[in-house]
Amino acid sequence: GFNFRDPILGNLAVRRAMGHAINRDEIIQYVLKGYATKAQGILPPQNPYFAPPVYEVNYDLQKAKKILDEGGFKDPDGEGPN
């Protein structure tokens, strides 16, 4: 869950960027040893109330950076981990 009252986490662009910045496939493969299925939303596709199409969030670090830039959260010191 996110604290939507937080000035940063309350920003939709930040939350969308976080979704694209997390490599869920690697978490499933290396941390969960393959014993998981990537979620597509709150409800799994097997649930009778699951209603596609669901906005799919895939790992895309460049897209995450672009969303942050467009949302007004540009990297102050340029590209890199500094």
Side-chain angles (χ1 to χ4, degrees):
F2 291 107
N3 177 358
F4 295 132
R5 293 186 182 127
D6 182 277
I8 295 174
L9 294 176
N11 185 302
L12 178 60
V14 171
R15 297 192 310 272
R16 285 186 61 219
M18 289 175 69
H20 288 290
I22 297 171
N23 192 332
R24 297 181 298 152
D25 291 325
E26 286 191 359
I27 291 171
I28 291 169
Q29 181 179 357
Y30 297 111
V31 177
L32 302 174
K33 308 293 186 209
Y35 291 106
T37 302
K38 186 166 43 172
Q40 296 178 359
I42 294 173
L43 300 174
Q46 302 88 337
N47 187 300
Y49 297 103
F50 178 79
V54 176
Y55 175 77
E56 194 166 332
V57 178
N58 293 310
Y59 175 69
D60 187 340
L61 199 50
Q62 294 308 315
K63 185 172 186 173
K65 291 177 184 181
K66 182 179 178 191
I67 292 170
L68 286 174
D69 286 347
E70 291 171 353
F73 293 93
K74 293 186 183 281
D75 191 344
D77 62 357
E79 191 70 28
N82 303 12

